[in-house]
């Protein structure tokens, strides 16, 4: 796989996971959904589970082309990038969905920047791709 194909695959998988695979998690990662559908105190923080599940799924998907390129020979740097991407994605989605501080354009711009930075780090610094 060439570098350009890896980057395009990462962007494609971002679209697939952020729009098509998110399903019910898109609603469940919003505090307002829980307040409306399960207002009991017991469920007050369950939106965090939905945010975490989606963020881990998204991070895994965007890292998949890199893992394939390395024939699944990934190490600690790969795992670190996966975790950092999941955390950043979750924080950004929370700021958009719950704090209502950014719009979809800013949300998606940050996610694309994450992908490009992850790609550049893997190409130039870790020599993975």
């Amino acid at each position: 796989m060439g570098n350009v194909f890896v980057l395009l695959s990462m962007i494609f998988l971002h679209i697939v996971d952020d729009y098509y695979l998110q399903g019910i998690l898109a609603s469940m990662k919003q505090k307002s959904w829980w307040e409306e559908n399960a207002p009991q105190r017991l469920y007050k923080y369950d939106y965090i589970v939905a945010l975490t599940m989606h963020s881990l799924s998204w991070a895994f998907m965007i890292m998949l082309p890199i893992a394939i390129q390395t024939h699944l020979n990934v190490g600690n740097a790969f795992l670190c990038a996966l975790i950092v991407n999941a955390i950043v994605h979750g924080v950004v989605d929370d700021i958009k969905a719950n704090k209502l501080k950014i719009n979809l354009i800013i949300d998606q711009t940050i996610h694309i920047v994450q992908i490009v930075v992850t790609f550049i780090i893997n190409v130039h610094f870790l020599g993975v791709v």
Side-chain angles (χ1 to χ4, degrees), residues 66-84:
I66 294 169
I68 292 169
Q69 177 69 12
T70 63
H71 306 287
L72 305 179
N73 186 17
V74 296
N76 291 335
F78 179 90
L79 183 59
C80 183
L82 183 94
I83 292 167
V84 168

Side-chain angles (χ1 to χ4, degrees), residues 48-76:
I48 296 170
V49 174
L51 268 170
T52 302
M53 290 171 60
H54 167 64
S55 298
L56 287 170
S57 170
W58 181 86
F60 178 82
M61 289 291 270
I62 68 149
M63 298 293 292
L64 192 56
I66 294 169
I68 292 169
Q69 177 69 12
T70 63
H71 306 287
L72 305 179
N73 186 17
V74 296
N76 291 335

Side-chain angles (χ1 to χ4, degrees), residues 28-101:
M28 294 176 78
K29 67 183 185 180
Q30 298 176 37
K31 289 180 190 179
S32 60
W33 187 90
W34 290 96
E35 290 165 357
E36 183 179 320
N37 294 287
Q40 299 86 352
R41 187 167 173 77
L42 174 67
Y43 306 110
K44 184 175 182 178
Y45 298 106
D46 282 9
Y47 76 96
I48 296 170
V49 174
L51 268 170
T52 302
M53 290 171 60
H54 167 64
S55 298
L56 287 170
S57 170
W58 181 86
F60 178 82
M61 289 291 270
I62 68 149
M63 298 293 292
L64 192 56
I66 294 169
I68 292 169
Q69 177 69 12
T70 63
H71 306 287
L72 305 179
N73 186 17
V74 296
N76 291 335
F78 179 90
L79 183 59
C80 183
L82 183 94
I83 292 167
V84 168
N85 275 311
I87 291 169
V88 171
H89 191 90
V91 168
V92 170
D93 277 15
D94 186 49
I95 291 169
K96 179 183 156 283
N98 296 309
K99 295 182 176 48
L100 307 175
K101 299 282 186 186

